[in-house]
Amino acid sequence: MNVLSQIEPLLLQVQKPAQYIGGEVGSIVKEIQNVDVRFAFCFPDTYEIGMSHLGMKILYSLINSRENFWCERVFAPWTDFEALMREHQIPLYALESLDPVQEFDFVGFTLQYELAYTNILNMLDLAGIPLYAKDRGEALAPMVIAGGPCVCNPEPLADFFDLFVLGEGEEVELELMDLYLAMKKSGATRQEFLRAAAQIPGIYVPSLYKVSYHPDGTIDAVTPEEGIPATIQKRVVDDLDKVFYPRQFVVPFMEVVHDRVVEEVLRGCIRGCRFCQAGFLYRPFREKSPETINRQCRTLCDNTGYQEVSMSSLSTSDHSRLEETLTQLLPYTESHRINLTLPSLRVDNFSKELMEQIQSVRKSSLTFAPEAGTQRLRDVINKNVTEEEMLRTASIAFAGGYTNVKLYFMMGLPTETLDDVAGIVRLAEKIIDCFFETPNRPKGKMVQISISCATFVPKPFTPFQFEPQVEQEELLKRQEHLLSCIQPRHRKKIKVSWHTYEISRLEAVLARGDRRLSTVIEKAWRSGSKFDSWSECFHYEIWEQAMSECGLDPAFYANRIRAYDEVFPWDHLDYLVDRAFFVRENQKAHDAKTTPHCRSACAGCGINRKLGRNCF
């Protein structure tokens, strides 16, 4: 049932109607009679955000590379179009066929951010799919699944999903769909398929595990049913030069957040920053060769017509052959007038030569992420960046024509003091002084420092998963102290911003939560909560009320210290980094001792040992 006739009369009543019609260049439409398995890839946020997501681009092309599989895109409708959909009884639909999502075999969500959880329920409801997995009967379809970084602790959503995919999806996704097709042909029930899927490495079926609790609310045990694995190990792609990568992206009709070619140059991170979940979730560290990067960039630019390429990674300048890569790629980008951007550059390996290579095609603000204002606190978080390195890099950049510097910090880090907070301003002022001390700086221009302070959120699978989040009253005290430290003569040169505390607190609650939060999420959604990551839509009082009605305390999840031997909601999920390593790193943090990055010395995280790989 195509919904085109229903939506056409409504499109001019909403903002950005192009996001609801499909038909973009690069989108893939197949003859339904030739398709055996249909996959609805659902991004639980708006089109302009979801169309920027690299994971969707990869899996969309991968699944569609199989003639008998069809992957289509689905995004959360903004509130104006949702209201019209509900008024006119239009179900949630996919963009390629404009068919209702309920008709698909798989309804797959990517979990990128905890504050999108209510959007998932809203999309399921719009699709006419029962919210709870237990209410979907024995029919095989639709099978509601999820992947992405938040799957490292999916327990707050466990009651809503049939299964989760842990780790990297390029190989396991097709394995899962092949199994589904075989069991679909044999007439298998939903439960039969789920038990079989649970045997695929990397597949977690939450309904096959029982959680018990201690009287104090902490977890006693997570117990699998007979014949089901006790732990589920994430999937890892071994060779990035051989793994599937798209030759074409869907090119949107409207502007999206990252409207460009995105080339993934490496996965993982060698650094080991103790607050950074991505740095541990995406281990081990793997690079693409310069030849592969060059070939894929050229192919994507030629096929999409994009005039900008972004090299994507957690730390682009840690690529061991970056300058060689740029030497190969720059003649093409320069001759075709393609802008090349290199986000995630490290200040400790930012060289004059690197700046000279990129400045001809990229001139914008310089971005540092010191994360902490003093060397002591940077040692606590294992940032392994010194003030001297930052000032040296700033000097190189100022000499190269840069005048704007963005500095990213976190407040509320473990062991943080008011002196650490004041150190944020001291560092900004030293960078200002560095600008005026640079002889060949841009003349007639003023330096501008933008300080952004996020509230620290303790996350699973990090050395700080044991730590409490700072209370709001204390955070406000530190924010006021920060502002008071800015000298009057620098107030026009330094701009400060920070995130809303309540948003960070909810993120902490959901990040380290357990299955009891499923009812909280449902209550919050039924009370009107959605698009919680959008400040104009966020209402923390709804969540407070939902927690209270469920007899749960946000402080239990966000603001308490967790013992090293506590059973965490995610302990049955194996992301291959040893828990003993996280404990050691946490202890070193409290002693303000650093750990060298992976190329300097192996810290014994355990992941390469488990995978049978060699460390550097």
Side-chain angles (χ1 to χ4, degrees):
M1 181 189 74
N2 187 292
V3 300
L4 179 61
S5 62
Q6 294 174 274
I7 66 172
E8 273 189 324
L10 307 176
L11 292 173
L12 294 183
Q13 301 179 44
V14 300
Q15 301 178 56
K16 304 176 182 177
Q19 64 187 309
Y20 302 119
I21 59 175
E24 308 98 320
V25 172
S27 61
I28 298 173
V29 177
K30 299 188 176 184
E31 295 292 336
I32 190 65
Q33 64 269 21
N34 298 326
V35 174
D36 293 319
V37 181
R38 301 184 73 181
F39 192 106
F41 195 122
C42 300
F43 195 95
D45 212 315
T46 61
Y47 177 96
E48 58 194 313
I49 293 178
M51 280 296 291
S52 304
H53 179 233
L54 179 59
M56 172 177 275
K57 298 175 192 293
I58 293 173
L59 293 180
Y60 178 84
S61 294
L62 171 69
I63 295 171
N64 282 321
S65 69
R66 294 279 293 270
E67 290 185 5
N68 61 331
F69 292 169
W70 189 9
C71 180
E72 303 185 45
R73 296 161 298 134
V74 185
F75 301 95
W78 189 245
T79 53
D80 56 353
F81 192 55
E82 183 200 335
L84 291 172
M85 291 174 69
R86 292 190 183 277
E87 178 185 349
H88 295 272
Q89 298 182 324
I90 300 171
L92 187 70
Y93 59 89
L95 290 182
E96 278 69 18
S97 64
L98 301 182
D99 286 342
V101 166
Q102 190 180 43
E103 298 177 4
F104 284 65
D105 295 284
F106 284 95
V107 178
F109 288 87
T110 179
L111 307 185
Q112 296 293 313
Y113 188 36
E114 291 85 357
L115 269 66
Y117 287 177
T118 50
N119 277 14
I120 293 170
L121 301 196
N122 201 48
M123 292 174 76
L124 288 174
D125 184 64
L126 280 169
I129 297 172
L131 299 185
Y132 286 91
K134 62 181 176 59
D135 297 330
R136 294 183 192 131
E138 279 304 303
L140 200 55
M143 189 66 57
V144 182
I145 74 173
C150 291
V151 167
C152 73
N153 178 28
E155 293 304 286
L157 293 171
D159 291 344
F160 306 121
F161 281 89
D162 294 301
L163 62 84
F164 296 97
V165 180
L166 275 62
E168 298 166 352
E170 288 97 334
E171 296 168 347
V172 66
E173 199 73 52
L174 294 181
E175 293 173 20
L176 181 67
M177 294 179 71
D178 282 333
L179 173 67
Y180 178 90
L181 177 58
M183 299 194 76
K184 179 181 180 180
K185 290 179 177 178
S186 70
T189 65
R190 174 179 294 265
Q191 190 64 18
E192 288 170 341
F193 170 74
L194 290 175
R195 290 192 67 87
Q199 305 303 322
I200 298 177
I203 300 298
Y204 169 44
V205 181
S207 61
L208 303 180
Y209 297 77
K210 180 181 178 181
V211 182
S212 56
Y213 298 88
H214 294 296
D216 66 357
T218 59
I219 291 177
D220 175 31
V222 178
T223 308
E225 292 184 6
E226 185 176 353
I228 301 302
T231 59
I232 305 93
Q233 188 177 98
K234 76 166 184 176
R235 292 294 290 265
V236 176
V237 169
D238 184 58
D239 190 340
L240 293 192
D241 282 332
K242 295 178 180 178
V243 72
F244 177 90
Y245 203 74
R247 295 177 55 85
Q248 169 74 290
F249 287 169
V250 179
V251 182
F253 289 135
M254 55 174 276
E255 185 177 355
V256 298
V257 174
H258 299 301
D259 201 8
R260 59 181 74 105
V261 163
V262 181
E263 170 64 13
E264 184 183 31
V265 298
L266 60 85
R267 283 186 194 173
C269 186
I270 63 174
R271 298 291 171 169
C273 298
R274 291 170 180 143
F275 60 86
C276 181
Q277 186 182 57
F280 296 104
L281 290 187
Y282 296 125
R283 289 190 177 196
F285 184 82
R286 291 146 293 161
E287 298 178 342
K288 283 182 185 176
S289 68
E291 294 75 22
T292 298
I293 295 170
N294 185 38
R295 182 184 70 255
Q296 291 176 349
C297 286
R298 287 169 177 256
T299 299
L300 282 168
C301 287
D302 291 344
N303 288 340
T304 63
Y306 274 123
Q307 295 293 297
E308 183 173 355
V309 176
S310 176
M311 290 190 169
S312 173
S313 75
L314 294 177
S315 183
T316 302
S317 54
D318 280 331
H319 194 291
S320 63
R321 301 169 67 188
L322 179 59
E323 293 191 13
E324 179 185 347
T325 300
L326 294 175
T327 298
Q328 290 188 25
L329 187 58
L330 283 172
Y332 171 79
T333 58
E334 290 173 351
S335 64
H336 289 75
R337 298 187 177 183
I338 293 171
N339 189 40
L340 180 66
T341 61
L342 281 76
S344 305
L345 296 177
R346 291 274 306 190
V347 299
D348 56 347
N349 52 18
F350 184 92
S351 65
K352 180 180 178 181
E353 292 73 24
L354 177 58
M355 188 200 68
E356 289 174 347
Q357 281 187 294
I358 66 174
Q359 69 175 356
S360 61
V361 291
R362 177 180 183 267
K363 181 67 66 70
S364 59
S365 60
L366 186 69
T367 300
F368 294 161
E371 310 295 358
T374 64
Q375 193 60 50
R376 184 201 70 82
L377 193 55
R378 285 193 291 274
D379 290 345
V380 167
I381 65 176
N382 204 47
K383 187 64 181 178
N384 281 325
V385 170
T386 66
E387 185 177 279
E388 291 74 19
E389 289 169 332
M390 285 184 275
L391 295 177
R392 178 190 62 83
T393 299
S395 179
I396 294 172
F398 293 148
Y402 291 83
T403 59
N404 295 327
V405 178
K406 295 180 180 179
L407 300 174
Y408 290 99
F409 295 92
M410 280 185 287
M411 297 187 75
L413 287 163
T415 80
E416 183 182 66
T417 66
L418 290 180
D419 182 66
D420 296 313
V421 173
I424 294 173
V425 175
R426 290 197 297 267
L427 177 59
E429 292 176 338
K430 288 180 180 180
I431 292 175
I432 292 173
D433 293 340
C434 177
F435 176 81
F436 289 107
E437 292 167 1
T438 302
N440 48 348
R441 68 180 185 275
K443 304 304 180 184
K445 294 185 178 181
M446 182 58 64
V447 64
Q448 184 67 55
I449 310 294
S450 299
I451 295 174
S452 177
C453 294
T455 303
F456 165 68
V457 177
K459 291 289 185 90
F461 296 102
T462 69
F464 287 163
Q465 64 184 349
F466 312 99
E467 298 293 333
Q469 187 176 53
V470 67
E471 296 279 2
Q472 184 172 21
E473 183 178 349
E474 176 60 29
L475 183 69
L476 291 173
K477 176 183 173 182
R478 298 181 194 184
Q479 290 174 341
E480 291 170 0
H481 184 66
L482 173 65
L483 294 176
S484 72
C485 291
I486 302 175
Q487 298 180 44
R489 64 189 177 94
H490 286 145
R491 284 178 184 159
K492 289 186 177 180
K493 303 182 189 75
I494 299 176
K495 295 182 179 179
V496 180
S497 62
W498 39 61
H499 299 167
T500 303
Y501 174 80
E502 288 85 356
I503 289 178
S504 297
R505 193 184 201 208
L506 178 58
E507 185 181 344
V509 168
L510 296 174
R512 296 193 296 176
D514 53 47
R515 291 193 184 187
R516 293 171 296 182
L517 290 177
S518 291
T519 54
V520 174
I521 295 169
E522 183 195 1
K523 283 182 179 293
W525 168 69
R526 292 195 183 281
S527 298
S529 207
K530 56 190 171 187
F531 288 107
D532 289 302
S533 59
W534 296 70
S535 57
E536 64 265 40
C537 299
F538 181 68
H539 301 286
Y540 185 62
E541 63 275 10
I542 291 178
W543 287 93
E544 282 189 310
Q545 181 64 27
M547 293 285 290
S548 176
E549 290 178 5
C550 294
L552 297 172
D553 182 4
F556 174 82
Y557 297 102
N559 306 113
R560 68 181 177 88
I561 298 174
R562 303 195 178 198
Y564 289 147
D565 60 354
E566 179 178 330
V567 177
F568 292 157
W570 54 89
D571 275 353
H572 55 301
L573 310 180
D574 185 4
Y575 274 72
L576 301 175
V577 178
D578 293 336
R579 182 169 177 143
F581 168 80
F582 289 138
V583 171
R584 291 197 305 272
E585 286 295 295
N586 184 271
Q587 292 169 336
K588 291 176 73 173
H590 284 273
D591 292 333
K593 293 181 179 179
T594 62
T595 298
H597 65 70
C598 297
R599 282 202 178 105
S600 296
C602 178
C605 77
I607 191 164
N608 282 313
R609 169 176 46 80
K610 291 182 181 179
L611 293 173
R613 297 168 55 99
N614 294 321
C615 289
F616 293 95

